[in-house]
DNA sequence: GACGTAATTTGCTATTTAGCTAAATAGGAA
DNA sequence: TTCCTATTTAGCTAAATAGCAAATTACGTC
């Protein structure tokens, strides 16, 4: 729980998720949307990966990052469950995937 | 959006919300559940208030803090909406309250 | 008024985080 | 091999955050 909220507590990281919601992208493609230098983007991606909301795949010399939507929403619904019946129902209804993907 | 994720990116602050989910409490009562000194708790509460997820009411020399459940869940569903149809439906179904309360 | 308790504000230190540039690693092309 | 491009890692600095103790404010009681 801590990792995901730390990950989301950053404007640039939330923006990265928006981009990845459209389609998987390489680090360079993502970086093109920011003023920031590439190493900074790379670091942000590592944080998102650590939080389990994106996945990385080597594609030759490129690294492709993919949004793991279910992991993102699942964790947040998990947090919301104690506060909200709708969230409890959603958590209940979802199969518990374990980082296969 | 930034304020709420910054607010939630802290273990102690998330714990405070759990306590307040049970019932409204004074700063002292909340602080009794932590090792932390009261000024630190007071600061955490200010952050949560700034994020719009708790409300404070003066009660004589005490200050009573109350969880604003709808504000908490509403903001998170707002974030989730682009990633999840269920969240979109929930956001859609809810009346947009504006910080009355 | 003076005193005691509740809470916040102030001033400080230590830690973490975000960003940078430069250097290292890894793969593809010549 | 050598060169070029993509990405990550290292090493750094500036800024933000979390905690504390001490001081201040606010209220209630004597």
């Amino acid at each position: 729980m801590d990792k995901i909220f730390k990950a989301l507590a950053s404007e640039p990281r939330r923006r990265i998720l928006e981009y990845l919601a459209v389609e998987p992208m390489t680090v360079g493609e993502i970086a093109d949307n920011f003023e920031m230098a590439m190493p900074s983007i790379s670091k942000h991606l590592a944080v998102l990966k650590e939080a389990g909301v994106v996945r990385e795949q080597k594609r030759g010399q490129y690294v492709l990052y993919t949004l793991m939507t279910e992991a993102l929403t699942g964790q947040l619904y998990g947090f919301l469950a104690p506060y909200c019946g709708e969230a409890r129902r959603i958590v209940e209804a979802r199969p518990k995937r374990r980082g296969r993907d």
Side-chain angles (χ1 to χ4, degrees), chain A:
Chain A
M1 206 79 293
D2 202 57
K3 280 182 186 171
I4 201 191
F5 282 119
K6 290 256 166 62
L8 294 177
S10 152
E11 224 286 286
R13 284 196 288 267
R14 291 193 304 275
R15 262 183 67 199
I16 289 175
L17 296 182
E18 287 178 39
Y19 293 129
L20 293 180
V22 180
E23 59 185 349
M25 293 196 222
T26 67
V27 182
E29 288 169 340
I30 295 167
D32 287 344
N33 294 286
F34 291 84
E35 303 291 297
M36 231 174 288
M38 185 168 328
S40 306
I41 299 293
S42 183
K43 196 69 176 317
H44 283 306
L45 286 165
V47 172
L48 291 169
K49 189 177 96 182
E50 203 45 40
V53 297
V54 305
R55 167 179 102 213
E56 79 180 2
Q57 293 161 283
K58 287 242 151 176
R59 283 284 180 274
Q61 56 188 325
Y62 298 83
V63 179
L64 194 65
Y65 279 88
T66 306
L67 177 63
M68 294 172 64
T69 311
E70 300 274 313
L72 170 63
T73 60
Q75 289 195 70
L76 288 182
Y77 284 126
F79 169 80
L80 281 171
Y83 302 102
C84 177
E86 284 136 312
R88 279 193 290 280
R89 251 172 283 122
I90 291 168
V91 168
E92 207 51 43
R94 286 196 186 189
K96 326 269 180 256
R97 314 189 168 276
R98 252 167 276 184
R100 58 182 110 87
D101 263 329

